[in-house]
């Protein structure tokens, strides 16, 4: 009888997602890359500008605020390439670019 009430009310129970394997998606990789990088370099992540799948994990480009300035358009930011394995563990990172917030891409 409880099942009938649930069916009539539109209430359904969620089933397990088909993506519950040990492999995790790009959202998990981006979050793990930002958190790991922030802990290592002690600068806040501003965002993620790229996520790329690799054979052994993920390559994530994280944009970081390195030198805050006033006005904000003169702050220095950097892009770091972060390699994350399938479990979200940091394998390596390197700074690939440093730029002023107000500067346009070339």
């Amino acid at each position: 009888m409880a099942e009938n009430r649930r069916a009539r009310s539109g209430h359904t129970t969620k089933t397990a997602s088909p993506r519950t394997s040990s492999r995790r998606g790009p959202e998990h990789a981006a979050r793990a890359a930002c958190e790991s990088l922030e802990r290592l370099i002690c600068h806040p992540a501003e965002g993620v500008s790229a996520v790329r799948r690799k054979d052994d994990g993920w390559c994530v480009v994280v944009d970081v605020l390195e030198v805050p300035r006033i006005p904000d358009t003169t702050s220095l930011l950097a892009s770091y390439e972060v390699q994350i394995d399938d479990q979200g563990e940091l394998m390596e990172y390197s700074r690939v670019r440093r730029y002023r917030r107000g500067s346009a891409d070339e």
Side-chain angles (χ1 to χ4, degrees):
M1 187 138 162
E3 292 85 26
N4 290 340
R5 271 187 258 138
R6 275 192 219 121
R8 276 188 252 133
S9 69
H11 177 58
T12 58
T13 57
K14 288 190 173 186
T15 58
S17 169
R19 285 178 47 143
T20 56
S21 68
S22 64
R23 284 191 138 170
R24 298 187 177 173
E27 298 91 356
H28 178 264
R31 192 174 306 110
C34 288
E35 291 170 0
S36 295
L37 188 63
E38 284 178 338
R39 282 192 305 271
L40 282 170
I41 66 173
C42 299
H43 294 298
E46 289 274 309
V48 171
S49 54
V51 178
R52 186 172 52 249
R53 183 78 173 117
K54 297 181 70 174
D55 291 336
D56 56 348
W58 297 89
C59 176
V60 181
V61 178
V62 179
D63 299 316
V64 172
L65 177 62
E66 289 197 333
V67 182
R69 291 187 177 156
I70 298 173
D72 193 45
T73 54
T74 61
S75 295
L76 290 179
L77 286 88
S79 295
Y80 285 82
E81 199 169 85
V82 182
Q83 308 296 324
I84 299 290
D85 68 13
D86 282 329
Q87 283 69 45
E89 296 295 319
L90 183 128
M91 296 173 10
E92 66 179 84
Y93 76 94
S94 63
R95 185 169 67 188
V96 293
R97 179 175 175 234
R98 196 166 191 204
Y99 58 99
R100 275 193 335 262
R101 186 186 299 277
S103 66
D105 283 345
E106 296 175 16

